[in-house]
Amino acid sequence: MRKFFLSLITIACALVSWAIVEEREIMTILKNDGTTVVYDVSDIDKVTFEVKTEEYKMLITPEQGEALKLPAVPTVFRVAPAKDGDPYLFGLTTVEASDPATARQGKYAIGLSVSALKMNTASVDLAGGAASGVTATLYTYADGEVSEIAEAQTSGTLTTAVNNKTKAVTINLEAAYENGTTVSVEFEGAVKDVADLEGFNPPYVYVNEGESFNADGISLGLFKVEGMTCTPDSKYQGGAYTGTRFDFTLSNGKTCWFIMKPELFGSTLDFATAQPGDAYFCYDNIQVAAAGANDWSLTGTEGKISVIKNEDNTYTIDLNVTNKYIMGSIRGGTPEYVILNYTSTEPIVEPEPEPEPEPEPIENLQNQLQHFNSEGAPEWPLTITKVEYSTEKGIPSNLSVKGDRFDVYFAEDNAPTFYFIVNPSLVGTTIDLATASPYFIKYGATELASAGLSWMSDKIGKEGTILFTLQDDGSYIIDLDIKFISSGNPDSKEYIKANFKTGSIYVEPEPEPEPEPAGFVNQGQHYTADGVAESVFDVTGMTYAENQRINGVEGFDKFTFTLSNGTDCYVAIKPEYVGQTIDFETAAKDAFVFKYGSINYSTKDNSLYVPTGINGKITVKKNDNGTYVIDVDVYAHTINWGTVNNTSKERVIFNYTEPEPEPEPEPEPEPAGFVNQGQHYTADGAAENIFDVTAMKITENTRVNGAAGFNKYELTLSNGTECYVAIKPEYIGKTIDFENADKDSFVIKYGYNMNYSSKENTMYATQGINGKISVVKKDDGSYVIDMDVYAHYINWGTVNNTSKERVILNYTGQ
């Protein structure tokens, strides 16, 4: 064979330039990752195959890509519970880490949260997620940043244990995640204690950008802060908020600005603890104030703003503000919030303010007020242009207490609100704030009240005087020297002095007598705001529904009325007040709701979306037969957002008396065909013994119960009961039906209770409404008298027709 090859080589060399050709036997191996390895067979002495076992303590296998296999868990961090019941936290890394932040240099990290109940427990089932008491969060990193977070386990188990002697911790974890990744960990050894695991997934750092979140906490997207303007000495809400204003230009087009006192720069303003006037913030529909300067301000409760003026005169702004606030005594708002960071690119150099001349105290104030600041230094005086005087005004700290109110107005713009209310008996005297009562003073955001009136004990005034001097023209000159020293601020140096003339004191005329209810039955009347009575209306019907939800509050019995004037009207009360008269002034919280047209009121401190009614009465009475009688007398007087409105004369009065249900008619006892006999039935319908009518006495043209002209027929009964029939002579021979009898046509009496006459009678007898009598004179001069009468009557407009008491008798003379 070799010779044959040499021959071929010789021939080839003869034909072309010569070359050496050699065959080699090779072995090519294709690996699972797609690469190949080539070996020369001549170099291989022997080929053997064997199964080699590799052991890993951490195996993380993604659905796509290469698995991470580690022979040991590099580092395990532990965060001990801050208090009993808090979970245990463990952090497992895939690289050696000195702290949790270093773990991001690896491919993965695992955060374990184990409830106290599940710690030191074997094979906890992770399929229930957080409900299992264990969460195992898998962080995936790329270039040192979090690229993916897997939290929802589809299956898995966790075993934890702590060796009390060696303090070694055991963690065995098997977990499968929704993204297809599986994790297996076996660890036993020492752990590193750390304060937290925030380094695994540090919070996002905003740099010249921001982010807003809706009420469900869902991000509405990042936005860029493209610019900012800064305006010193700005004012908002008439000077209630004065300071430097920052306006931002945002990439999302939203409006964003805030105003803050410059002395707060360099610190963090917390809306929950800020002082009145410190700041005001606006982002889109989020608007909150730092401690409201008035009853209408939205006092923020959750939010912080930091303003730092850097050495190069740039500003760095950081803020996180939530749309939650208090307005008056009402909490409101939503969980919406916004986060923003910005450092201005250009230095903002504020001009040096021109030095202002220092004001001097004025010795003799004339229609002026001078304020002395917190250092006790005088400020420029304010010119008093007008004083409004009114009586019977409620003191805000206790609206049921009233006094004379003086509202003071100034010529200067942005002047603070100033008014005071005092006990009318103190007008014309020197009022000592330390002892006088009641009084209330408001100057700007400062309030002082007499002891026992303020709901905040730190507002009780301690020092100062108000002097009223009566002039010949009926006006008062008022001098004030009011210190802002109170129980809550005993070292205050702030105070005011003022002098002004009231003009003639207005004496309010005696109030006109209120119209008295007209004794309405199924009727009512409305009076306008000027007290003009409108036409009487009829209450023609009522519907009733139990346990209704009214304006967001459950549990009312609602009575809805149909009125002939077409006005929407209802009364809603809690069931426990049926049978009681609800007085608006003292009614319990959520006791009632009332609506008549635009009058829509509820009780004080109510949970509903309606004003507080303060002058009215409602009675809902349920009769034994299940019918209702409802009386309403309500004025359009309210408290709304702390303001008392009690001057209107608008009023509505009405009554609804539900008709009594018609009783099932019982078979009437048939007359027994009495002749000179009779029978009485009790109120329960029980028949008494038959009695005899033994005699009759006639008295003609006599006076009965104060009315003249009756023929009176007195009957003698065997049961001894007094009994007579009296009729006008023109009715002899006729049957008188009580229901349609003429005025003064008859009088009957049987015993003590049954003494009846006709409708509209002029006698001292009750109107009978169910009965018949007849007096017939026969040709022989004798009489036949029949009587069948029920104890049914009308008394003072009230119908009484339920009794079964009855008398039937006959007298036939011989």
Side-chain angles (χ1 to χ4, degrees):
M1 177 65 102
R2 183 175 179 79
K3 289 181 179 181
F4 174 73
F5 281 124
L6 291 175
S7 298
L8 290 176
I9 292 171
T10 302
I11 294 171
C13 289
L15 296 176
V16 295
S17 58
W18 69 277
I20 299 174
V21 178
E22 183 179 8
E23 289 186 344
R24 284 191 307 123
E25 189 174 5
I26 63 174
M27 179 172 64
T28 302
I29 299 174
L30 178 63
K31 298 174 65 177
N32 286 332
D33 61 3
T35 61
T36 59
V37 180
V38 179
Y39 296 96
D40 193 325
V41 174
S42 63
D43 294 337
I44 299 173
D45 178 55
K46 181 173 64 173
V47 176
T48 62
F49 295 90
E50 62 179 336
V51 176
K52 184 177 180 181
T53 301
E54 294 182 347
E55 183 175 317
Y56 307 107
K57 296 297 184 180
M58 177 179 278
L59 175 62
I60 302 177
T61 307
E63 189 172 41
Q64 302 290 335
E66 187 175 353
L68 177 69
K69 306 171 183 178
L70 298 178
V73 181
T75 310
V76 176
F77 296 107
R78 175 176 60 188
V79 180
K83 60 181 183 298
D84 289 345
D86 284 357
Y88 291 79
L89 304 179
F90 296 95
L92 288 68
T93 71
T94 56
V95 293
E96 290 287 345
S98 58
D99 55 54
T102 313
R104 302 201 305 274
Q105 302 307 312
K107 178 65 176 175
Y108 301 101
I110 302 169
L112 285 176
S113 174
V114 186
S115 71
L117 293 175
K118 298 297 183 179
M119 190 64 192
N120 295 311
T121 303
S123 300
V124 177
D125 187 356
L126 305 187
S132 69
V134 174
T135 57
T137 304
L138 177 65
Y139 301 96
T140 303
Y141 302 113
D143 298 325
E145 299 294 337
V146 176
S147 62
E148 186 179 1
I149 300 175
E151 293 182 302
Q153 306 96 25
T154 57
S155 63
T157 60
L158 174 69
T159 297
T160 55
V162 178
N163 189 314
N164 291 330
K165 183 176 181 181
T166 66
K167 305 304 180 184
V169 175
T170 296
I171 299 175
N172 292 331
L173 172 66
E174 297 285 340
Y177 293 87
E178 287 185 348
N179 64 2
T181 303
T182 61
V183 172
S184 296
V185 175
E186 291 184 11
F187 172 79
E188 182 177 0
V191 297
K192 289 185 178 181
D193 287 316
V194 291
D196 56 61
L197 298 176
E198 286 188 0
F200 279 10
N201 183 26
Y204 182 80
V205 178
Y206 298 91
V207 179
N208 291 340
E209 57 190 352
E211 188 171 9
S212 62
F213 299 81
N214 66 16
D216 296 321
I218 299 172
S219 172
L220 301 178
L222 287 168
F223 54 81
K224 295 293 184 183
V225 184
E226 298 173 343
M228 181 186 77
T229 60
C230 173
T231 308
D233 299 324
S234 293
K235 290 180 171 58
Y236 186 64
Q237 287 193 353
Y241 301 93
T242 302
T244 302
R245 174 165 171 155
F246 299 89
D247 287 84
F248 300 94
T249 303
L250 308 181
S251 62
N252 63 4
K254 301 293 186 182
T255 298
C256 184
W257 61 270
F258 68 88
I259 190 169
M260 181 186 287
K261 290 182 178 179
E263 55 264 34
L264 300 176
F265 295 172
S267 61
T268 297
L269 178 139
D270 187 338
F271 280 94
T273 58
Q275 298 302 304
D278 278 355
Y280 195 97
F281 173 81
C282 173
Y283 171 82
D284 196 26
N285 65 333
I286 300 175
Q287 293 192 51
V288 291
N294 53 58
D295 291 341
W296 304 103
S297 293
L298 306 179
T299 302
T301 58
E302 295 183 21
K304 295 182 180 181
I305 299 177
S306 169
V307 177
I308 297 175
K309 188 172 184 180
N310 303 310
E311 292 183 358
D312 60 356
N313 286 324
T314 62
Y315 282 94
T316 297
I317 312 289
D318 286 288
L319 61 87
N320 186 334
V321 181
T322 301
N323 187 37
K324 289 188 177 180
Y325 53 79
I326 299 174
M327 184 168 66
S329 61
I330 300 174
R331 289 189 173 271
T334 64
E336 296 172 86
Y337 67 100
V338 61
I339 301 171
L340 181 145
N341 163 271
Y342 182 70
T343 299
S344 58
T345 55
E346 297 294 331
I348 299 175
V349 180
E350 299 180 13
E352 290 293 328
E354 292 289 332
E356 294 186 5
E358 293 291 330
E360 295 292 333
I362 298 176
E363 293 297 328
N364 296 306
L365 295 167
Q366 297 293 323
N367 287 326
Q368 293 173 303
L369 178 145
Q370 190 163 44
H371 175 252
F372 295 80
N373 63 23
S374 59
E375 301 298 323
E379 295 181 346
W380 294 106
L382 300 174
T383 302
I384 299 172
T385 59
K386 182 175 67 170
V387 179
E388 289 184 352
Y389 168 80
S390 53
T391 63
E392 286 294 305
K393 298 300 180 183
I395 293 179
S397 55
N398 189 336
L399 290 170
S400 64
V401 178
K402 299 185 175 8
D404 288 354
R405 174 165 169 161
F406 297 84
D407 285 89
V408 183
Y409 297 89
F410 303 100
E412 290 76 13
D413 294 335
N414 303 318
T417 299
F418 178 38
Y419 70 84
F420 59 93
I421 304 171
V422 298
N423 186 330
S425 66
L426 301 176
V427 176
T429 67
T430 297
I431 301 172
D432 186 344
L433 302 189
T435 58
S437 181
Y439 68 80
F440 180 85
I441 301 168
K442 182 175 180 64
Y443 181 82
T446 302
E447 296 178 349
L448 294 175
S450 53
L453 289 181
S454 179
W455 66 94
M456 296 175 64
S457 59
D458 60 355
K459 292 186 178 182
I460 298 174
K462 296 295 184 181
E463 187 175 339
T465 58
I466 302 174
L467 172 62
F468 289 83
T469 304
L470 178 63
Q471 305 299 298
D472 292 338
D473 60 359
S475 64
Y476 279 87
I477 292 178
I478 302 179
D479 291 285
L480 303 101
D481 187 350
I482 298 175
K483 305 294 191 295
F484 289 170
I485 297 172
S486 65
S487 51
N489 193 5
D491 300 321
S492 175
K493 297 178 181 179
E494 186 179 8
Y495 67 101
I496 58 173
K497 287 187 175 182
N499 162 277
F500 54 87
K501 188 174 182 179
T502 63
S504 296
I505 290 293
Y506 171 67
V507 179
E508 294 187 1
E510 288 294 323
E512 296 180 7
E514 300 294 347
E516 289 299 319
F520 295 120
V521 176
N522 288 330
Q523 287 185 314
Q525 195 162 30
H526 175 254
Y527 298 82
T528 68
D530 297 324
V532 177
E534 296 179 339
S535 298
V536 172
F537 56 80
D538 295 320
V539 186
T540 59
M542 179 197 74
T543 59
Y544 166 63
E546 295 181 334
N547 195 27
Q548 296 295 294
R549 183 181 181 88
I550 309 286
N551 291 340
V553 176
E554 305 279 357
F556 287 95
D557 287 354
K558 184 176 181 181
F559 303 84
T560 304
F561 304 95
T562 303
L563 308 183
S564 62
N565 63 7
T567 304
D568 180 26
C569 181
Y570 69 77
V571 168
I573 67 171
K574 293 293 180 68
E576 57 265 31
Y577 299 104
V578 173
Q580 302 179 30
T581 295
I582 299 176
D583 189 330
F584 289 12
E585 186 175 1
T586 57
K589 178 178 180 181
D590 292 348
F592 76 92
V593 189
F594 173 72
K595 178 171 176 57
Y596 175 88
S598 62
I599 300 175
N600 188 195
Y601 302 147
S602 184
T603 51
K604 60 187 176 184
D605 300 325
N606 69 77
S607 310
L608 304 93
Y609 311 120
V610 292
T612 298
I614 57 175
N615 190 354
K617 292 182 180 181
I618 294 174
T619 303
V620 177
K621 178 184 176 183
K622 188 173 184 180
N623 298 318
D624 293 339
N625 60 10
T627 61
Y628 285 92
V629 176
I630 299 175
D631 289 288
V632 169
D633 188 355
V634 176
Y635 280 84
H637 295 169
T638 66
I639 298 176
N640 199 7
W641 301 109
T643 300
V644 177
N645 302 282
N646 61 0
T647 59
S648 174
K649 296 181 180 179
E650 184 176 9
R651 181 185 187 188
V652 62
I653 308 167
F654 69 83
N655 161 274
Y656 176 74
T657 300
E658 191 174 13
E660 297 185 5
E662 292 292 334
E664 288 294 327
E666 295 185 8
E668 300 292 346
E670 290 299 323
F674 296 122
V675 176
N676 289 325
Q677 285 186 317
Q679 194 165 27
H680 177 255
Y681 298 82
T682 67
D684 297 323
E688 296 180 338
N689 293 332
I690 292 174
F691 54 80
D692 296 322
V693 185
T694 59
M696 186 266 292
K697 174 186 175 183
I698 301 174
T699 305
E700 295 184 339
N701 193 25
T702 188
R703 193 176 187 86
V704 179
N705 287 349
F710 287 92
N711 286 357
K712 184 176 182 182
Y713 304 88
E714 296 177 80
L715 303 171
T716 303
L717 309 183
S718 62
N719 63 5
T721 303
E722 179 186 8
C723 180
Y724 69 76
V725 171
I727 65 173
K728 293 292 179 71
E730 59 265 33
Y731 295 102
I732 294 175
K734 299 178 181 180
T735 297
I736 300 176
D737 189 333
F738 290 12
E739 187 175 2
N740 51 30
D742 296 331
K743 177 180 179 181
D744 290 348
S745 58
F746 75 92
V747 189
I748 70 100
K749 181 173 178 60
Y750 177 86
Y752 178 78
N753 292 323
M754 299 176 69
N755 186 195
Y756 303 145
S757 181
S758 55
K759 60 187 176 182
E760 300 179 343
N761 68 81
T762 57
M763 298 166 287
Y764 312 122
T766 304
Q767 178 186 339
I769 58 175
N770 191 352
K772 294 180 181 180
I773 56 173
S774 68
V775 177
V776 178
K777 185 175 184 180
K778 296 192 296 184
D779 293 338
D780 61 2
S782 64
Y783 286 85
V784 176
I785 300 175
D786 288 288
M787 182 168 70
D788 187 355
V789 177
Y790 282 83
H792 295 169
Y793 58 91
I794 297 176
N795 193 15
W796 297 105
T798 300
V799 177
N800 299 277
N801 61 359
T802 58
S803 175
K804 296 180 181 180
E805 185 176 7
R806 181 183 186 187
V807 62
I808 306 169
L809 64 83
N810 166 272
Y811 170 76
T812 301
Q814 300 299 322

